[in-house]
Amino acid sequence: MKIPYVGCKLFMIAWEVTSKCNLRCIYCYRNYNEFHEKENDPTLIKKILKEISSIPSIKIISITGGEPTLSPFLKDIVKTLYNFNKYIGITTNGNIKEREKLASFLKKYKKMLRVQVSIEGDKKVHEFFRGRNSFDEAILTVKYFSERGIPVSLMMTAFKSNLEKIRYILKLQKKLGADFVAIERFVPTGIGAFLKNELISREDFHFLIKKVKRLQKEGNRIYLNDPIFEPKTGFGCSAGIYSLAISSNGLVYPCSKLRIPIGNIKHKKLSEIWKNSKLLKKLRNRINLKGKCYRCIYRDTCGGCRALAYALSKNIFAEDPLCPISY
């Protein structure tokens, strides 16, 4: 049977450089026990960097956590990745203790770097999800970085409670000088598994897609990071197709929100995990998809969100439950 994604190349890595975090967001995709891991040692950091450098097709590294600015190795990681000619994204909650020092450092690497700050709505909505006194600090970080020429963007996770806050966040983006707004769906996994009441419905998702497209036509710089947004011409679900996630203890996952371990860099080379993982081979064969994702004409260019399918059904190949396309 022909596999649609034969020869796919690893293009992007989401690297959780630390398990430490200074917030306790109620929708976090990590589990509580993951915040108590022993911090990475320099040997593992160097090994991961070596593995990344050994695969030429990797072009983008998304540095996450925990809160990545708490990692004592962040500066060394950025320097090394920059020297490897990798594009670097840093996703932060914006509550940064030494904001001025970090901005001064990052400015040196701004040609190959972007900082993404999570904003979930106005102060009340944001702090419902992320905790008290977190909003003002995040806003200060966006403003401070933008004023110093560091590329910065806003990231919103779509919940039932904040769908009406999109225009508010767009106003913030323009006021603060951020480059654009990116939106992702909430996936109820990890700590967030207890927040399923905030999962948007199929109708909500259809509304979101139409709203983002309308806002784009109005000239706004806003994007929906989702395979279903442009199922015909998009890149589809990237999990195991052109991206992987690496946790702070070396475990490798198909996606940060699809936390099924497929190997550990401590014991195997990243290239071997990418090439030989049985789960990844199955993910790359879209014939394995179930329900309307299997029947869909966009099966090979979309594939639905595998993380959400797994979170709700415990079947990694189940249909995307929020897809508004009818079959």
Side-chain angles (χ1 to χ4, degrees):
M1 185 177 292
K2 185 179 179 181
I3 299 175
Y5 286 92
V6 168
C8 54
K9 293 183 178 180
L10 181 54
F11 180 74
M12 182 171 63
I13 296 288
W15 182 6
E16 300 166 2
V17 297
T18 181
S19 63
K20 293 180 180 179
C21 194
N22 49 2
L23 298 183
R24 286 295 181 266
C25 303
I26 62 174
Y27 67 92
C28 185
Y29 56 80
R30 295 169 68 95
N31 289 299
Y32 283 111
N33 62 344
E34 294 184 77
F35 293 99
H36 302 290
E37 294 171 0
K38 184 180 178 182
E39 188 56 81
N40 278 341
D41 61 77
T43 303
L44 180 57
I45 293 290
K46 289 177 182 178
K47 181 170 177 56
I48 293 173
L49 286 168
K50 183 179 179 181
E51 291 297 312
I52 290 172
S53 69
S54 70
I55 303 176
S57 62
I58 299 175
K59 302 297 181 186
I60 299 174
I61 309 297
S62 176
I63 298 175
T64 68
E67 170 50 41
T69 63
L70 296 179
S71 170
F73 307 112
L74 179 61
K75 291 183 179 180
D76 289 335
I77 290 169
V78 169
K79 285 179 187 177
T80 306
L81 292 175
Y82 183 86
N83 290 334
F84 289 160
N85 200 34
K86 308 294 185 185
Y87 187 84
I88 306 159
I90 300 176
T91 298
T92 173
N93 61 38
N95 288 241
I96 301 172
K97 189 175 181 180
E98 296 184 331
R99 186 183 294 113
E100 295 81 5
K101 288 183 179 180
L102 181 61
S104 178
F105 168 78
L106 294 179
K107 192 173 181 180
K108 304 171 189 176
Y109 304 94
K110 64 180 184 179
K111 290 182 179 180
M112 292 288 288
L113 177 143
R114 170 172 300 282
V115 176
Q116 182 172 262
V117 181
S118 297
I119 303 288
E120 312 303 353
D122 58 22
K123 184 171 183 175
K124 182 179 179 181
V125 171
H126 181 90
E127 295 191 351
F128 169 76
F129 289 108
R130 291 188 164 265
R132 294 177 60 186
N133 304 318
S134 60
F135 180 79
D136 291 343
E137 288 295 312
I139 295 299
L140 283 173
T141 293
V142 177
K143 188 172 186 292
Y144 193 87
F145 282 11
S146 174
E147 288 175 346
R148 281 148 187 81
I150 299 168
V152 60
S153 57
L154 306 186
M155 177 69 202
M156 170 188 156
T157 301
F159 303 98
K160 275 192 175 293
S161 297
N162 69 353
L163 285 180
E164 298 298 331
K165 299 297 181 181
I166 295 174
R167 283 196 180 272
Y168 173 86
I169 293 176
L170 276 172
K171 289 179 182 178
L172 272 184
Q173 173 242 325
K174 293 165 185 173
K175 179 182 177 181
L176 300 174
D179 295 327
F180 59 83
V181 174
I183 301 176
E184 288 185 352
R185 277 190 272 175
F186 164 54
V187 175
T189 189
I191 295 169
F194 301 97
L195 203 65
K196 287 182 180 177
N197 61 306
E198 281 291 344
L199 180 66
I200 61 175
S201 66
R202 183 181 287 109
E203 292 73 25
D204 292 332
F205 188 40
H206 193 204
F207 163 83
L208 177 61
I209 291 171
K210 290 193 297 183
K211 185 164 188 172
V212 170
K213 289 186 176 182
R214 183 169 65 250
L215 289 168
Q216 287 179 337
K217 287 181 180 178
E218 293 174 8
N220 295 286
R221 299 196 68 192
I222 183 169
Y223 306 97
L224 181 56
N225 297 336
D226 198 283
I228 294 175
F229 185 63
E230 293 290 354
K232 184 177 180 180
T233 59
F235 292 100
C237 180
S238 67
I241 307 298
Y242 60 87
S243 70
L244 288 177
I246 303 173
S247 74
S248 55
N249 62 1
L251 281 171
V252 180
Y253 303 102
C255 165
S256 296
K257 297 174 184 176
L258 184 55
R259 300 184 84 77
I260 303 174
I262 55 172
N264 194 312
I265 285 185
K266 292 179 181 178
H267 312 301
K268 284 186 179 180
K269 290 185 176 181
L270 185 60
S271 58
E272 292 177 0
I273 296 171
W274 176 254
K275 182 179 179 181
N276 300 324
S277 165
K278 292 181 180 179
L279 180 61
L280 294 190
K281 288 179 180 179
K282 290 179 180 179
L283 276 172
R284 291 165 190 160
N285 188 350
R286 294 277 168 85
I287 299 296
N288 291 318
L289 297 182
K290 307 298 181 183
K292 66 180 181 181
C293 281
Y294 171 80
R295 299 189 300 271
C296 184
I297 59 173
Y298 305 125
R299 182 180 65 198
D300 294 341
T301 54
C302 173
C305 177
R306 294 300 92 216
L308 185 60
Y310 184 74
L312 296 184
S313 71
K314 298 307 175 187
N315 183 343
I316 197 172
F317 303 107
E319 66 181 43
D320 186 320
L322 301 191
C323 180
I325 301 173
S326 299
Y327 283 96

